Every structure is written in structure tokens, then in C-alpha cells.
Amino acid sequence: MRQHTLTLVLAALMALPAIAADEARFPDRPVKVMVGFAAGGPSDLVARAFSEHAAKAFDQPVIVENRAGANALLATEAFKHLTGTKMVHIPYRGAAPAVVDLIGGQVDLYFATVGSVLSHIQAG
């Protein structure tokens, strides 16, 4: 997954000069990058690094907006559709409170990233 993310970022960075060369085109105002995870996590850091390069290439501000839980909502809907499972999506503001509730038994299922649960899995 890490290599896949890196590949996407590198591809986007390689495309920036071509996009920036046509000044009459997009963007003509600040650009928003939506991140489906809480601020400070790996996805946020990659988006912020990308936004710095994009802002220079676009000559426009690039704003990173974190919408924690957006990816989990999509995963939940896909899981429900593929399996016919009935469940309710419970939005959390980041992985930490969701993992706490999962371990504490307040929720039965959580679509997690490896980084948010690996230490708990290793601890048993």
C-alpha cells in the first residue's frame, strides 16, 4: 500500500509541470484536497507534502481538508453491498477513539488501517 501511495504521488508530481504550463487552464482559484483521515496521520502527511509542490506548480494555494471517517464510510457501504450485511455506520473523529471503542466492546467491527491497529494485534 505504501508503494502504491508513493507511485500515485510521484505520478501526480510528474504531471504538475504539464498542467502548470497552460496558465489559462485550471486552477483559477485555491484547490482543496480532501483527506479521509484525521490530521497528523500518514495520509495527511502525504497530502500536505503533495500540496506544497502543487501550490508552487499551480501558483495557487492548495488547502488540505481532513474529513475523518470518509474512507470508513465508503468501506462500510461496499462491505454491506457485497455481503448483504446489515450494519450502521458510526462516524469517529480519527482512528484512536474508534480503536478504543472496538477494544472496549462498544462496537463490533471497525475498518482500520494497519498502522492504527498493528500494535494492538502484536500485543494479542
Side-chain angles (χ1 to χ4, degrees):
M1 180 150 167
R2 180 182 232 168
Q3 186 174 0
H4 179 59
T5 301
L6 182 60
T7 302
L8 290 174
V9 169
L10 290 175
L13 290 175
M14 289 176 22
L16 288 178
I19 294 169
D22 186 2
E23 295 178 6
R25 289 185 21 201
F26 174 83
D28 59 355
R29 60 181 177 257
V31 176
K32 289 184 183 178
V33 175
M34 304 300 281
V35 177
F37 297 96
S43 298
D44 178 56
L45 297 176
V46 170
R48 290 182 190 282
F50 168 77
S51 71
E52 290 177 21
H53 295 285
K56 289 176 188 172
F58 291 152
D59 196 28
Q60 288 288 341
V62 177
I63 302 159
V64 176
E65 284 194 17
N66 297 87
R67 302 286 175 140
N71 290 344
L73 178 59
L74 294 174
T76 301
E77 291 303 316
F79 184 80
K80 286 169 53 175
H81 176 74
L82 292 171
T83 64
T85 304
K86 294 182 181 175
M87 60 174 53
V88 175
H89 172 72
I90 302 169
Y92 282 91
R93 289 191 162 282
V99 171
V100 168
D101 280 358
L102 179 67
I103 292 170
Q106 282 78 24
V107 295
D108 298 315
L109 175 70
Y110 170 57
F111 291 98
T113 60
V114 173
S116 65
V117 294
L118 185 59
S119 61
H120 299 290
I121 293 169
Q122 291 172 334

